[in-house]
Amino acid sequence: MPETARAAFLRLSADDREVLSLVAWEGLGNAELAQVLGCSRLAVRQGLHRARKRLAAELAADDPDLARYGPRAVRLAKETS
C-alpha cells in the first residue's frame, strides 16, 4: 500500500504535491496555507479539494479498494467519476 500511495502522489502535478505536502507534513491550516501561497482562503479550499480529488483518482487507478485509504478517499473518487 505505501508504494501505491507514493506512486499516485508522484503522478500529481507539482502544485498538487506542494499543497498536499504543506497540509499533511507541515500541518498548515487554510489560513496559513493561503499566506504561504499568496492567495485567498477560498482559493486554498478549492485547490486543496481538487488536489485531494486528483489524488483519490490516482489511487483508484492503482487500487480499486479505496476503503484502505479512508472514507474521504472513497467519496472523493466518486466525485471524479
Side-chain angles (χ1 to χ4, degrees):
M1 181 171 88
E3 281 304 310
T4 301
R6 181 178 185 275
F9 180 77
L10 292 175
R11 286 193 302 269
L12 296 174
S13 71
D15 289 342
D16 283 351
R17 290 193 311 269
E18 178 182 30
V19 168
L20 293 170
S21 296
L22 288 170
V23 170
W25 291 318
E26 300 298 332
L28 297 185
N30 287 354
E32 297 164 312
L33 193 55
Q35 186 174 14
V36 168
L37 298 176
C39 61
S40 70
R41 290 182 190 182
L42 177 59
V44 163
R45 281 196 330 239
Q46 291 173 336
L48 183 56
H49 181 73
R50 290 175 184 149
R52 286 176 172 155
K53 280 175 49 173
R54 287 187 281 267
L55 178 58
E58 290 295 335
L59 287 168
D62 289 343
D63 186 355
D65 184 14
L66 285 181
R68 300 175 200 223
Y69 303 101
R72 178 185 272 175
V74 173
R75 181 176 42 81
L76 290 170
K78 286 180 182 176
E79 288 180 21
T80 61
S81 56

